[in-house]
Amino acid sequence: MASASGAMAKHEQILVLDPPTDLKFKGPFTDVVTTNLKLRNPSDRKVCFKVKTTAPRRYCVRPNSGIIDPGLTVTVSVMLQPFDYDPNEKSKHKFMVQTIFAPPNISDMEAVWKEAKPDELMDSKLRCVFEMPSENDKLGITPPGTAPAITSISIINNTVATPASYNLKNDPRGLNVFKQEKQKNDMEPSKAVPLNASKQDGPMPKPHSISLNDTETRKLMEECKRLQGEMMKLSEENRHLRVLLVASSLVCTLHILCPSHVNCLLPIE
């Protein structure tokens, strides 16, 4: 009996698996669903590994075998192929990670596995778990357990936006100051004094900038109208000058051609 029990004894799995027992696949399963399995080698020797499954047609594993150096980790991607999910049917798929200490010289991995003795092999088994997204996940509703974290995030955002509100609950004076500042900021643009804007380090409020832009626009429009009026006056004067220039040219021509205006004006006999 002692010899039989010694023959059946196996080495404990040397690799550290993450996750250790279950491979969880979260639906919907209309497309490929991938989950990762991490294999860490905590020993000081190289370890050969091989990944096996009871449903090889339903999964794609990369890498499905290899060698892990001492102290390193290998991530194995397990890809579940699309299928019609039945919530009443429990998954019976299982995976097994088989390992063996690597020999000093490795030339043929297949030969290493074929020549391995049963008591040299180490293995770990994992079961597959299929999970469908809950209704809260579909609707984007946060589970109750995570509500405080979201609240804390909103408080942090409010603190960044308004630093004075950080200790408002603990400091009533700060609350009064904050209310006074809010009342000042809520003043109508027409009642705001332009000198206050110069004392502020930041840019002017949007209502002020909009009113300034409107004022400048009106000034530009009035300036354009004034320039258009001047151009019309200049064009009219230019037209009068042209008429005078043509008339003076005609007079000069008449003086040159006809010294006596009377003779030029007499009818031809």
Side-chain angles (χ1 to χ4, degrees), residues 66-77:
I67 302 175
I68 306 177
D69 292 330
L72 296 184
T73 301
V74 171
T75 301
V76 177
S77 297

Side-chain angles (χ1 to χ4, degrees), residues 139-157:
L139 299 175
I141 300 175
T142 305
T146 58
I150 295 177
T151 305
S152 62
I153 292 174
S154 62
I155 292 173
I156 292 173
N157 290 336

